[in-house]
Structures are given as C-alpha cells and as structure tokens.
C-alpha cells in the first residue's frame, strides 16, 4: 500500500494551507517559484536502497485512470496552478488562464513566453507509476498522484522537451542540462519512495550513478 495513504488527510490540509496563502497571486504578476525542494542526495540514496526492485508491467494502463487536471482553487486547476507557481510575472484572466508571463524550463535551460509552449511534466510519469505499482491503487490514490503539488512531482517545462521525455525513466532519458541532473534524480527517488513504487534494475543502476555524482 502506498506510504501516502495514511497521511492523505494531513497532506491535503498542508496543500490547502499553501493554496490559501497564495490565492492572491492568481490576479497579477508573480515572482518565479521552483519545484518543491527534493530531499538531499544522502536521503535519496537511503530511500533508493529501500525501494523494491521489480520488473515493470504496463498491462491495463490508460492515462484516463489518473484523473487530472483537478480544480485546486476557484477556477484554477492543477495545470494553471503550476503555471503560476513556476512562472515569472504571470498574469491570468478570470478563468485562471495565463495570458502573459515567462517560464524557465530547467530541463534544457530555455525560457518560453507563451503558456501554450509549456507542459506540466509529471516528473515520475503516469505510465511509469502504473508500471511500478500504481496499477493496484484506487482511482482516488491515482488522482492524488497525478495532481500532487506537495512533492517534487509537477514542474512546468518546454512542451517539446516533455514530449521527448514521454514515459521514460532515468535509465532511458535525462534532462539535457546536466546541472539539473542531481535535482531531477533526487526528486524522482523521493516521489517513488513516498508512493511506495518499485524500480527496475536498469532504473536503479542509473539512479545510483547519478546520485553518487551529486
């Protein structure tokens, strides 16, 4: 059972507290915000050592089994909330759509000025989560994973880069900007650990190498 299940109410309360504090941001320019800071490399190495190593299984997967994007506050859904959080000088309309601003994509180091050029990346992809344990979850649990604003799981990045990543794990794909590798793998391991997901052998080997270089 995912580690988050027993702590779900506490996590929801924490998320709501943060959203209430930031609700005023949706109506005007905002400062740039970052992905929630992942655990340290040392902590990530400890988490990785405890993860189950298992062969992945995609049988029965559908993206629709992970409901997203859900309403977070007012007219703002998860995507729109992350666009505001991760952007600079973001202005939204009455429907919470970002009409201006800029977004720095840490995967490749490019800045975009149109929200339409931005995807919200699930750092651990939905298909990868399914492959490594989420197939046994309830819809409620999958919804929580797909819209998690508390863990370092959602980040605004250039759409073409996100599409190139697809559902690949760190043995198959890493950000082209090497300066972001340590942050990326620390976040990946934290998310997998929190949700009780497994890793395959190639994935664990790649993660081990990147974390050892942090």
């Amino acid at each position: 059972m995912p580690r988050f299940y027993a702590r779900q109410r506490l996590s929801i309360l924490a998320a709501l507290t943060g959203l209430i504090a930031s609700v005023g941001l949706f109506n005007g320019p905002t400062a740039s915000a970052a992905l929630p800071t992942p655990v340290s490399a040392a902590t990530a190495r400890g988490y990785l050592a405890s993860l189950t190593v298992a062969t992945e299984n995609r049988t029965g997967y559908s993206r629709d089994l992970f409901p997203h994007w859900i309403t977070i506050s007012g007219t703002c859904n998860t995507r729109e909330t992350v666009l505001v959080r991760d952007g600079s000088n973001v202005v939204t309309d009455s429907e919470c759509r970002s009409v201006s601003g800029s977004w720095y994509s840490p995967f490749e180091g490019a800045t975009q000025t149109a929200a339409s050029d931005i995807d919200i990346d699930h750092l651990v992809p939905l298909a990868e989560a399914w492959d490594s344990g989420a197939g046994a979850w309830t819809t409620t649990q999958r919804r929580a994973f797909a819209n998690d604003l508390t863990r370092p799981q959602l980040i605004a990045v250039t759409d073409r880069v996100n599409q190139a990543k697809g559902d690949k794990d760190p043995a198959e794909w890493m950000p082209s900007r090497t300066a972001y590798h340590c942050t990326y793998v620390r976040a990946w391991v934290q998310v997998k650990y929190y949700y009780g997901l497994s890793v395959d052998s190639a994935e664990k080997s790649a993660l081990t190498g990147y974390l050892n270089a942090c």
Side-chain angles (χ1 to χ4, degrees):
M1 177 173 291
R3 291 180 175 85
F4 77 93
Y5 187 68
R7 293 172 283 179
Q8 194 170 37
R9 290 184 180 178
L10 182 60
S11 296
I12 291 171
L13 286 172
L16 287 173
T17 299
L19 287 167
I20 290 168
S22 64
V23 68
L25 298 177
F26 294 118
N27 296 317
T30 67
S32 178
L35 178 82
T37 303
V39 296
S40 69
T43 298
R45 285 191 287 269
Y47 285 176
L48 180 59
S50 73
L51 295 184
T52 299
V53 178
T55 302
E56 295 181 349
N57 182 1
R58 192 161 299 186
T59 302
Y61 170 72
S62 169
R63 188 173 176 86
D64 293 340
L65 294 169
F66 292 80
H68 66 287
W69 304 111
I70 63 171
T71 299
I72 297 298
S73 177
T75 61
C76 302
N77 66 23
T78 315
R79 170 183 164 81
E80 293 156 345
T81 300
V82 177
L83 284 172
V84 172
R85 185 199 71 185
D86 289 3
S88 294
N89 300 316
V90 177
V91 176
T92 61
D93 64 16
S94 61
E95 299 301 317
C96 204
R97 292 172 298 214
S98 296
V99 296
S100 65
S102 64
W103 292 267
Y104 176 75
S105 175
F107 286 1
E108 83 286 13
T111 297
Q112 308 298 336
T113 57
S116 58
D117 291 329
I118 295 295
D119 279 354
I120 306 305
D121 177 52
H122 288 96
L123 197 134
V124 174
L126 303 182
E128 169 68 24
W130 179 274
D131 296 350
S132 49
W137 295 353
T138 65
T139 298
T140 298
Q141 291 166 336
R142 288 192 289 267
R143 181 186 296 112
F145 178 84
N147 299 278
D148 189 348
L149 294 168
T150 303
R151 261 61 54 184
Q153 165 66 348
L154 298 175
I155 183 170
V157 298
T158 303
D159 54 2
R160 59 178 176 77
V161 176
N162 185 51
Q163 290 154 20
K165 171 185 171 178
D167 56 16
K168 300 178 181 72
D169 70 30
E172 304 162 315
W173 186 92
M174 284 289 287
S176 61
R177 182 168 163 260
T178 56
Y180 201 68
H181 284 183
C182 187
T183 299
Y184 188 83
V185 295
R186 285 158 47 212
W188 182 284
V189 171
Q190 179 180 347
V191 170
K192 282 227 160 176
Y193 176 82
Y194 182 81
Y195 285 98
L197 297 170
S198 64
V199 291
D200 64 39
S201 57
E203 177 187 357
K204 182 172 183 178
S205 178
L207 289 167
T208 299
Y210 286 116
L211 284 172
N212 286 342
C214 285

